[in-house]
Amino acid sequence: MGKSRTKRFRRPQFSPTGDCQVEAAAAANGTGGEEDDGPAAELLEKLQHPSAEVRECACAGLARLVQQRPALPGLTRRDAVRRLGPLLLDPSLAVRETAAGALRNLSACGGFEVCDDMVTKDIMTPLVALLKECSAGLDSNETSPQKKKDQNRNSIENIANEAVNVLWNICECSSRAVSIFNKEGCLEIVLKYLSRFSTNVDLAISVAYCLQTVTEDNPELLKCFSAEALHVLESAMLSPVKSLEYRLLKTLVAGTIWNLKDIIPCKSQAEIINAILKILSEVLEMDAGETVIRMKEAETQRLKTLAETEEILENANGDDLIEDDEMEEIPHKRKIRRKTFASDLLPPTDKELRETIALLTAQQTALEIIVNMCCSEDPSDDEWEELSSSDESDMFMENSLSECGGQLLSPLCLSHEIHTALTSYLIPKKIFEKTAFPNSIAVDLCSRNPTWKTLIRKMNTVQCRALVCLQSLVSLLDVDHLGGAPALQTLAQHLSQMLFSQPDFAKHADFLEAISSALRALLQTMASRNISQCLTPDQLMTLCKAGIHSSNVGVRVNVVSILGITGSILAKEDGTLETLKSIGCFLLEVATKDPSLVVAGEALDALFDVFADGKEAERASVQIKLLSTLKEFQPVFKMKIRKEGRGKYSTDQLCVLDNVKMNLRRFVAYQETVEKRLTS
């Protein structure tokens, strides 16, 4: 049915912090679905309060509230976007930051409709103005005294980080927002933020996410990339820092540079491909399970040491704990000195958790980039450039993309370079390893800690991405590059063992779609090379019976295709009559009763393959009354395409269905000759 891009997934949303916890918590406890909109109305009203502190607390409360889906209609009805928008340019920097945080959550939690509505309500005007002010503020701040410079820089960069995330979320969902990004010169602004990667990696990562989104299929923006802009990307991608957060940054920038492939000079193609795949290879080489275990142990030790230090200080000072010089005002105009604990001197941090999430996200992103690289159009032989494919990533700085000139290749055809670099960096092997189930010890550790529990899903997502990536590699690379026939048989056994080791595999839709897609591609490749299959007939039918009840159309298409691939091989062997009858009956059931025409068409295609040739197949077709069933179904299928086709299916799907319809007519004619011959 054609190739499709891997969809991108969002990061955990903004969560407000600071001194507004009481009001934010009150908002979080609201129902949001009540007729008077409960806390929503009150919080939106407070956005106009003359006190900056009250406005800040209201923004923080809204940032929490928008994460509750039932609250979104009420906020939309009360025009929350138009009320929050002006606060992006509030005189108070704290209000700006929390307002941007609320809009970040709204854009992330609301999805496509909310983001499109935000563009309609002109959120881009104050957002772009804020981004420009932050950029100018960072420039003017360079002349301030050092202490004030550091404070201002941190505030401005925090605001910029929230604003960039709003920009990214909206651009990911709205083509109108991307058009505004292009016209308003946002590229120059965000690249200035990215250039600060050595001092603020969080801001740089947010920019890299945004750039990866806006550079995809955006030829208008590609024209705006100057040599200086490319140099900023190059510097970030080749940063020598090895921390996990920097690995994520470099991976995201590598994805952006891949999106710029159409403007890369041809003399730099080999260097670019090698530099990108070297970064992806290094990320995939890391053992995420071991990293989870190591980081969790480090966090446990750090918290233990902190608690021991706190206890020592308490024992040493008794009631006279360390006193803060700052006076804190409370109601009734009475002032007290705030007691300060060791944990106040060392601000709470989730450093270990953040770094672990960065690694898992980097691995997921790396796998998605490889899928996109594999899905780029295959060139004709005369379009391939005769370039060296040696490991030139270390020479990249000497012959940088920003300094390269010369003729561009249009379209830029890099398949040969991709094939060579993929195998030279052992990427297929690393992807195979990532298809395994997550480390059980790491999963157990995470399951026992609420803040780490979300990592289980991230580890499972990496596994699913690896399976999708495996599907692309198997379809793209030569068998020799994949390790030859023995390696493919081992891989097929590995996938089938993983599948059947999970008794409830049918309940995990993402996993089932990913592994069935990989298995389908692998079995197709093995069949085309006459490599013996690994699934037994019983396993095959178990998989298909479980998968065909999935609500996911992709899963149903995959299992039907797998049945067709295996059945067409069995049709040429002796002693397979009963198995072929089971396969035929199953496919007929799917073709005539599945609600999706795409699945029904795939089932018919599988029937054509299975019963196209072979004595056992001919005998089985007569015994299951294949001809009479298909003749009866033929007008029904034709009518369904005519009635349902235009409204429910894409042009490509309709073309495929039309081909199936024609092939069905020919197959019925062929079966008539078979039946006459066998019954005469």
Side-chain angles (χ1 to χ4, degrees):
M1 290 293 178
K3 294 171 182 174
S4 60
R5 292 178 182 272
T6 302
K7 63 182 178 182
R8 288 181 168 80
F9 290 76
R10 300 178 185 274
R11 298 170 323 299
Q13 317 307 337
F14 169 84
S15 182
T17 58
D19 298 324
C20 304
Q21 297 301 318
V22 174
E23 193 139 9
N29 290 329
T31 61
E34 299 172 3
E35 289 184 5
D36 63 353
D37 297 326
E42 183 181 352
L43 290 169
L44 289 170
E45 192 68 30
K46 288 183 178 180
L47 295 179
Q48 309 301 320
H49 198 280
S51 166
E53 186 177 349
V54 173
R55 296 198 300 275
E56 180 188 354
C57 290
C59 289
L62 287 169
R64 289 283 184 89
L65 186 63
V66 297
Q67 295 181 71
Q68 303 174 43
R69 189 164 295 277
L72 293 177
L75 290 167
T76 302
R77 188 166 57 251
R78 291 182 174 273
D79 223 2
V81 173
R82 282 203 170 99
R83 296 196 190 191
L84 281 166
L87 297 186
L88 292 175
L89 302 173
D90 193 276
S92 165
L93 294 182
V95 173
R96 290 186 180 198
E97 183 179 349
T98 49
L103 288 166
R104 173 181 175 178
N105 271 10
L106 182 62
S107 59
C109 300
F112 287 91
E113 289 185 6
V114 168
C115 287
D116 198 56
D117 184 60
M118 290 174 75
V119 178
T120 300
K121 291 177 177 173
D122 199 27
I123 194 62
M124 292 295 286
T125 296
L127 180 60
V128 171
L130 175 61
L131 289 165
K132 290 179 178 178
E133 283 198 17
C134 287
S135 177
L138 289 173
D139 288 338
S140 63
N141 187 53
E142 296 303 321
T143 60
S144 304
Q146 187 61 45
K147 184 175 180 180
K148 187 177 180 182
K149 181 194 291 187
D150 292 342
Q151 291 174 342
N152 288 347
R153 185 190 68 210
N154 290 339
S155 296
I156 294 170
E157 288 183 349
N158 288 343
I159 295 168
N161 189 31
E162 296 300 337
V164 168
N165 274 277
V166 178
L167 181 66
W168 169 43
N169 288 342
I170 296 175
C171 285
E172 196 168 45
C173 296
S174 169
S175 59
R176 289 188 296 158
V178 174
S179 179
I180 294 169
F181 182 101
N182 295 345
K183 292 175 183 176
E184 292 293 332
C186 293
L187 177 63
E188 183 181 350
I189 300 169
V190 296
L191 282 172
K192 182 182 289 186
Y193 297 154
L194 180 63
S195 68
R196 309 176 78 88
F197 67 87
S198 60
T199 57
N200 193 330
V201 69
D202 288 337
L203 176 58
I205 287 172
S206 297
V207 171
Y209 270 117
C210 187
L211 283 173
Q212 194 180 26
T213 293
V214 297
T215 54
E216 187 174 8
D217 300 325
N218 189 356
E220 181 184 345
L221 184 64
L222 299 196
K223 300 172 188 174
C224 302
F225 274 87
S226 62
E228 183 182 356
L230 293 172
H231 182 70
V232 172
L233 294 174
E234 175 188 328
S235 299
M237 187 174 78
L238 299 179
S239 167
V241 183
K242 298 292 186 182
S243 75
L244 299 181
E245 288 175 316
Y246 271 88
R247 289 189 185 277
L248 172 58
L249 172 64
K250 291 158 71 172
T251 302
L252 291 167
V253 174
T256 298
I257 292 177
W258 172 251
N259 289 343
L260 303 180
K261 57 187 177 295
D262 289 342
I263 64 168
I264 296 172
C266 60
K267 67 188 261 189
S268 294
Q269 291 168 19
E271 294 96 329
I272 295 295
I273 291 297
N274 277 279
I276 290 174
L277 287 174
K278 182 179 181 183
I279 288 169
L280 304 187
S281 175
E282 289 173 352
V283 166
L284 293 174
E285 193 168 10
M286 299 190 70
D287 189 323
E290 291 299 324
T291 301
V292 169
I293 295 168
R294 187 177 73 254
M295 287 294 185
K296 187 68 187 75
E297 289 174 349
E299 181 194 66
T300 302
Q301 185 58 47
R302 176 176 59 80
L303 294 176
K304 180 182 176 183
T305 302
L306 185 62
E308 290 172 351
T309 304
E310 210 166 77
E311 186 178 353
I312 291 170
L313 287 173
E314 286 183 25
N315 292 336
N317 291 285
D319 290 334
D320 298 324
L321 297 175
I322 304 171
E323 294 186 342
D324 197 333
D325 290 333
E326 294 180 4
M327 303 297 286
E328 191 173 282
E329 190 163 333
I330 62 171
H332 310 301
K333 305 297 182 182
R334 183 168 58 89
K335 293 184 177 181
I336 62 169
R337 289 189 179 273
R338 180 167 56 87
K339 293 181 179 180
T340 307
F341 294 91
S343 54
D344 294 319
L345 301 175
L346 296 172
T349 177
D350 54 356
K351 181 177 184 296
E352 296 86 1
L353 179 60
R354 285 167 57 87
E355 290 208 8
T356 308
I357 290 173
L359 173 62
L360 290 168
T361 307
Q363 291 190 339
Q364 175 184 334
T365 304
L367 292 164
E368 291 172 358
I369 293 170
I370 292 170
V371 169
N372 286 340
M373 294 176 81
C374 291
C375 289
S376 59
E377 291 185 11
D378 292 332
S380 58
D381 291 341
D382 59 346
E383 288 176 321
W384 278 350
E385 287 292 301
E386 295 297 328
L387 297 172
S388 168
S389 301
S390 59
D391 184 0
E392 295 167 294
S393 54
D394 293 332
M395 297 188 293
F396 187 60
M397 288 297 289
E398 297 175 24
N399 187 20
S400 69
L401 65 97
S402 56
E403 296 171 351
C404 285
Q407 182 182 0
L408 299 183
L409 195 63
S410 180
L412 186 62
C413 298
L414 300 171
S415 293
H416 181 260
E417 299 302 332
I418 293 171
H419 291 202
T420 306
L422 282 169
T423 52
S424 67
Y425 286 115
L426 303 178
I427 284 180
K429 178 177 180 293
K430 293 169 185 176
I431 292 171
F432 297 166
E433 292 169 353
K434 293 290 179 245
T435 62
F437 286 116
N439 184 309
S440 59
I441 298 174
V443 170
D444 184 59
L445 274 174
C446 293
S447 65
R448 289 189 274 111
N449 189 295
T451 57
W452 286 68
K453 198 168 185 178
T454 56
L455 266 62
I456 298 174
R457 168 170 276 196
K458 287 190 169 293
M459 287 187 278
N460 288 331
T461 299
V462 169
Q463 181 196 24
C464 287
R465 291 295 175 279
L467 288 165
V468 173
C469 201
L470 175 63
Q471 173 197 357
S472 296
L473 288 182
V474 168
S475 302
L476 177 74
L477 297 180
D478 294 334
V479 171
D480 290 341
H481 287 160
L482 295 168
L488 293 188
Q489 288 175 319
T490 300
L491 181 57
Q493 289 174 347
H494 163 68
L495 294 180
S496 60
Q497 286 170 1
M498 277 206 309
L499 188 60
F500 295 109
S501 67
Q502 302 293 304
D504 58 345
F505 67 83
K507 296 179 182 178
H508 304 287
D510 290 343
F511 170 73
L512 184 55
E513 182 176 15
I515 196 168
S516 61
S517 296
L519 198 55
R520 173 185 179 178
L522 182 59
L523 293 177
Q524 182 65 61
T525 298
M526 293 172 71
S528 66
R529 306 298 195 282
N530 293 319
I531 301 171
S532 60
Q533 307 280 315
C534 63
L535 283 176
T536 66
D538 287 344
Q539 286 179 323
L540 184 68
M541 294 310 298
T542 299
L543 167 62
C544 293
K545 287 176 181 177
I548 207 62
H549 295 297
S550 172
S551 60
N552 187 313
V553 170
V555 171
R556 303 206 303 275
V557 166
N558 286 336
V559 296
V560 165
S561 178
I562 288 170
L563 203 55
I565 293 165
T566 307
S568 63
I569 295 171
L570 294 174
K572 298 176 180 63
E573 298 176 2
D574 295 330
T576 57
L577 177 63
E578 293 304 318
T579 302
L580 290 173
K581 286 167 62 177
S582 297
I583 291 173
C585 290
F586 182 88
L587 291 175
L588 277 174
E589 180 85 3
V590 175
T592 56
K593 294 186 179 179
D594 196 286
S596 168
L597 280 175
V598 173
V599 179
E602 192 73 39
L604 288 170
D605 260 341
L607 281 167
F608 305 157
D609 291 339
V610 174
F611 295 98
D613 192 21
K615 292 182 180 180
E616 295 283 44
E618 290 179 351
R619 290 172 57 205
S621 67
V622 172
Q623 292 185 27
I624 64 172
K625 299 181 179 178
L626 179 62
L627 176 60
S628 60
T629 305
L630 289 180
K631 286 180 76 171
E632 184 180 341
F633 179 64
Q634 194 172 3
V636 176
F637 185 65
K638 185 177 179 180
M639 180 191 66
K640 279 187 174 183
I641 293 176
R642 189 174 63 252
K643 284 189 173 181
E644 302 175 19
R646 292 186 181 277
K648 293 175 64 175
Y649 302 100
S650 68
T651 303
D652 287 344
Q653 288 173 328
L654 288 174
C655 286
V656 172
L657 289 171
D658 279 338
N659 284 334
V660 173
K661 183 175 66 177
M662 287 190 297
N663 290 336
L664 176 58
R665 187 173 66 248
R666 294 168 183 164
F667 186 73
V668 166
Y670 164 71
Q671 281 295 313
E672 286 175 339
T673 62
V674 169
E675 193 161 304
K676 284 178 184 177
R677 176 161 42 83
L678 292 179
T679 56
S680 60

